[in-house]
Amino acid sequence: MDNLLIYARGISAKNINTHIHTHAALQLKMSNLPRELIVDILSRLPVKSLCRFKCVSKPWRTLISHPDFVKTHLHRAQFKRLILAFGNSLYSIDHETSFENDVVAVALDYFPLDQNNQLAIAIIGSCNGLLCLRSQPNTFFVFNPATHESARIPDAPTPDGFDHAILAYGFGYAPSIDDYKLVKAVNAPLVAVFSLKTSTWKLVEGFHCEKSTEVWEGSLPCGTHLNGALHWVFKRRGGGECVIAAFDLETDTFREMPVPAISVSGFSTGSLKGCLCLMDLVFGLRRRDIWVMKEYGVGNSWTKILVVDPCYEVKPLCLWKKSKILMTIDRNENENENGNELVLCNPKDGTCKNFEVVDIPFWFYADTYVESLVSPKFSAIV
């Protein structure tokens, strides 16, 4: 029994069919094992294999589809990828491949778009293997690129007096209530919040911020999901100072967090190694300072880790091979000139080099995702 467990744990996505000739053979080998041991073995396998295993038998389909198994598999998820959106296309990239020069962007051709789609796909957020995508000004999908499942979010309510000038979007997960939410912030004291768990929208009061006019001339900012909250940088309404507005996805309330005590012209947020990041833009100098909040919510824990020069926009994506920061940069203020780039940054000295990817698009939205079994049709499962 122990040998079988060790054997199964060593199975990779590439050699699983070599080691196990048929799915039925695997089921036969494991049929007499305790359920908890079967769960332990299967929860360590990639999503692609588990999707095939769901066809082996009804008991296996029930097991792999069960919310508890999905959470166990997510907790052990090891297969992480980059996702790029360009035009009406999505591209998946195995950025953790062993050979840096063999990285290839693979087009995902199974995402269902509206036939009349005229807008480039925008990635609103990525959380637990689910991507929230915008394909039209008011059309949103939740999509799992590993299982190919997708679900369209119904249109948000538009009551009388509701300001339609969207300031920002965000998508994230509240573990305390086991719910995924899409948030739309507008030029009003209201935010619209959609719950995947209840499949309903609601309007929440208490939003007293506005955008900084010097920033956000291009795409609307997407909130950074961290610690069960979404984070943006706004100015207090009425011309106040810039603050980080954190929207708690459990309580649907805002709270403010401090920014570094320096003079800056604009901010954007990100995350790195589980810490909140702040990208600070100094106009005229075209450079970016990246700050990391070492202790969440504590203003004096901001630490500058990197200076990138020259560029207009920076977005950290992940830590690559535990040593360098993989991120996107845009070296031009005019988004129609050249394109953005994937680069690897050395946090010790701020030097960067291009991260070469075969068949990468010219301009793109970028994010990361983990391969998971979480279904976008969340309300039908919980």
Side-chain angles (χ1 to χ4, degrees), residues 204 212 245 312:
V204 178
S212 172
Y312 175 68

Side-chain angles (χ1 to χ4, degrees), residues 61-279:
R61 182 178 185 85
T62 300
L63 170 65
I64 295 171
S65 302
H66 195 279
D68 289 342
F69 180 85
V70 172
K71 289 179 182 178
T72 300
H73 182 268
L74 176 64
H75 178 72
R76 293 173 172 171
Q78 301 177 5
F79 304 94
K80 299 179 180 179
R81 294 181 179 272
L82 289 180
I83 189 80
L84 305 184
F86 171 72
N88 291 333
S89 301
L90 293 173
Y91 298 83
S92 178
I93 299 173
D94 181 6
H95 64 288
E96 295 182 337
T97 181
S98 300
F99 303 99
E100 184 180 336
N101 296 327
D102 293 334
V103 183
V104 178
V106 178
L108 306 181
D109 55 4
Y110 42 76
F111 173 64
L113 283 174
D114 290 348
Q115 291 183 351
N116 297 322
N117 185 60
Q118 301 293 326
L119 195 68
I121 299 173
I123 301 174
I124 303 302
S126 173
C127 184
N128 293 346
L130 295 181
L131 302 175
C132 183
L133 307 171
R134 188 193 66 188
S135 61
Q136 294 283 356
N138 293 301
T139 302
F140 297 85
F141 287 85
V142 180
F143 174 54
N144 184 325
T147 64
H148 307 178
E149 282 188 285
S150 66
R152 178 174 174 176
I153 293 177
D155 294 342
T158 53
D160 293 339
F162 187 77
D163 192 327
H164 297 276
I166 305 297
L167 289 185
Y169 301 104
F171 177 74
Y173 176 65
S176 57
I177 57 174
D178 192 24
D179 196 5
Y180 295 84
K181 294 184 179 182
L182 167 64
V183 178
K184 297 169 67 174
V186 300
N187 258 326
L190 297 173
V191 293
V193 182
F194 180 80
S195 162
L196 261 67
K197 193 172 188 177
T198 63
S199 194
T200 58
W201 284 96
K202 74 174 182 178
L203 299 177
V204 178
E205 296 185 354
F207 179 56
H208 303 293
C209 296
E210 60 186 13
K211 75 173 183 178
S212 172
T213 55
E214 301 91 4
V215 199
W216 304 354
E217 297 299 329
S219 303
L220 292 173
C222 297
T224 295
H225 173 248
L226 188 68
N227 293 341
L230 293 169
H231 306 78
W232 302 269
V233 175
F234 294 110
K235 282 188 175 180
R236 292 194 179 103
R237 189 173 296 277
E241 61 184 6
C242 283
V243 294
I244 296 176
F247 184 78
D248 190 303
L249 292 168
E250 177 189 357
T251 61
D252 292 336
T253 56
F254 277 98
R255 72 183 181 98
E256 294 182 357
M257 297 172 61
V259 297
I262 56 174
S263 176
V264 295
S265 301
F267 304 88
S268 61
T269 60
S271 65
L272 192 64
K273 293 181 66 177
C275 294
L276 188 65
C277 296
L278 183 67
M279 278 66 69

